[in-house]
Amino acid sequence: MKITAFAGSNSRSSINKKLVTYTASLFNQPNTTILDLNDYDIPLYGLDLELEKGIPNDVLRFSNVLKESDLLIISLAEHNGAYATVFKNLFDWLSRVDGTKGFHNKPIFLMASSPGGRGGASVLEIAKARLPFNDGEVIDTYSFPNFPSNFNNTDGITDAELKSILLDKIENVKSQLKF
């Protein structure tokens, strides 16, 4: 089983990257790749740019990684109640790659976290509703609230109830995909 995980953020200290990396490790799959959006040079999408220069190579490279995956784990940063610009831009470019609407009909474990009590609930709902229109099959979601209080770099999730919920969701994803 090949897992690809990434955060919809370009912050070097992204809480969503920490969450997605931690979550991917809990699947205990040796064939797991953690992507960092900072490793991809993706210009701001515009039709004029696409017509002039085509799809950027890094968009095609990212799309190919998704295509070769069996499961995507995505943790979205929430900016003003919606996607972070870096994710929306990637999403727009991916939707332009020939032969796909974006996510190659891959199953997605969709997550979000925030420093506040809602845990990125707004962006999670937006993405849960939108991704199926772009060839993404959201098979489960997880909202992780109050990140600074409930996570540390040594232990991961420190709140027993929130950790139990995540572990149950991981088992649900594994059972759906027959890990």
Side-chain angles (χ1 to χ4, degrees):
M1 189 66 67
K2 183 171 182 169
I3 296 173
T4 298
F6 67 94
S9 172
N10 60 350
S11 169
R12 288 187 186 100
S13 59
S14 168
I15 62 175
N16 282 283
K17 181 156 187 201
K18 290 176 184 179
L19 178 62
V20 82
T21 301
Y22 171 76
T23 300
S25 75
L26 296 175
F27 276 83
N28 295 315
Q29 291 295 310
N31 200 0
T32 298
T33 302
I34 309 295
L35 301 177
D36 186 330
L37 298 185
N38 291 304
D39 295 334
Y40 295 84
D41 185 20
I42 301 176
L44 188 60
Y45 178 78
L47 182 58
D48 293 339
L49 178 62
E50 179 185 356
L51 292 173
E52 181 182 324
K53 295 187 176 185
I55 307 291
N57 286 335
D58 274 358
V59 172
L60 297 172
R61 188 167 60 104
F62 197 96
S63 181
N64 284 332
V65 172
L66 300 183
K67 184 178 183 178
E68 296 170 4
S69 301
D70 298 306
L71 171 65
L72 306 178
I73 306 172
I74 304 171
S75 189
L76 297 173
E78 183 177 278
H79 291 187
N80 297 314
Y83 306 119
T85 302
V86 68
F87 178 77
K88 178 63 167 83
N89 187 54
L90 173 66
F91 189 178
D92 290 343
W93 275 113
L94 288 172
S95 74
R96 305 298 292 173
V97 175
D98 285 340
T100 181
K101 292 180 184 175
F103 293 93
H104 300 281
N105 295 307
K106 298 300 176 177
I108 299 171
F109 181 28
L110 185 63
M111 304 185 305
S113 186
S114 73
R118 296 195 67 236
S122 295
V123 71
L124 199 58
E125 287 304 312
I126 291 168
K128 182 179 174 185
R130 181 70 234 169
L131 290 177
F133 292 101
N134 291 85
D135 293 344
E137 180 192 353
V138 178
I139 58 174
D140 211 338
T141 63
Y142 180 68
S143 173
F144 185 65
N146 303 309
F147 187 91
S149 301
N150 293 319
F151 190 95
N152 70 49
N153 293 334
T154 304
D155 303 314
I157 295 177
T158 57
D159 179 277
E161 183 179 348
L162 292 171
K163 186 171 185 175
S164 177
I165 292 168
L166 178 60
L167 293 173
D168 287 347
K169 288 181 174 285
I170 288 170
E171 288 308 311
N172 177 46
V173 169
K174 285 181 171 183
S175 70
Q176 287 188 56
L177 298 179
K178 308 204 180 354
F179 269 70

